[in-house]
Amino acid sequence: MRLFLTIISLTTAILLTGCSREPTEPELRQAYEETLAEANQLAVKIGGDRMKIGLQDFKKLSCEQPEASANQENQSQQESNSTKQYRCDIQVKLDLPLVGPSTQNGKMTVVKHDRGWVVLSNN
């Protein structure tokens, strides 16, 4: 019986660890590319294909889970999302219209969704 409980505990710990892992660089890049594609759709409507932004390089520098707020109303919602949401430092090299190549450091907040990681905000 004790062995059975130990196996159940280890299995649960492994499953929870898998659910709360931070996004990998390829996962972040894919989420960034999806957001960039949406921005490019708008840019093309405004200025044509010459206004598209190209992504030349993407690097994940670090990721961390946001701090829980002291506001108790949002606390239960944040606890349920805390294993799914990460704030990541990234570096991108973009091919900007009228400017050319530009390397920029920034932050992006992503949340785990059924279809993968989704960008909540991009600074």
Side-chain angles (χ1 to χ4, degrees):
M1 181 66 157
R2 189 172 195 175
L3 178 61
F4 178 73
L5 290 174
T6 302
I7 291 172
I8 294 292
S9 297
L10 287 173
T11 303
T12 302
I14 289 170
L15 289 174
L16 289 175
T17 302
C19 293
S20 64
R21 70 167 177 79
E22 70 182 45
T24 63
E25 185 171 303
E27 291 169 330
L28 284 176
R29 182 184 181 118
Q30 180 179 356
Y32 188 87
E33 286 175 340
E34 289 171 5
T35 302
L36 187 59
E38 292 172 9
N40 277 333
Q41 286 178 350
L42 181 60
V44 168
K45 287 181 182 178
I46 294 171
D49 282 339
R50 64 186 175 90
M51 297 307 290
K52 279 187 178 180
I53 299 170
L55 179 63
Q56 293 183 355
D57 193 28
F58 181 96
K59 290 182 184 173
K60 169 187 165 184
L61 303 176
S62 67
C63 283
E64 62 183 26
Q65 289 183 310
E67 295 287 324
S69 171
N71 186 346
Q72 291 184 354
E73 286 182 32
N74 295 328
Q75 190 170 359
S76 62
Q77 181 181 1
Q78 287 178 348
E79 286 172 1
S80 66
N81 289 335
S82 66
T83 58
K84 299 177 185 177
Q85 185 174 334
Y86 285 87
R87 181 108 169 120
C88 301
D89 292 319
I90 60 169
Q91 182 180 68
V92 293
K93 185 173 183 183
L94 301 172
D95 188 18
L96 299 173
L98 310 173
V99 176
S102 173
T103 301
Q104 303 171 0
N105 289 343
K107 295 183 181 294
M108 63 189 285
T109 302
V110 294
V111 65
K112 184 70 170 174
H113 191 269
D114 294 341
R115 62 182 175 104
W117 292 96
V118 177
V119 177
L120 291 179
S121 67
N122 212 357
N123 312 65

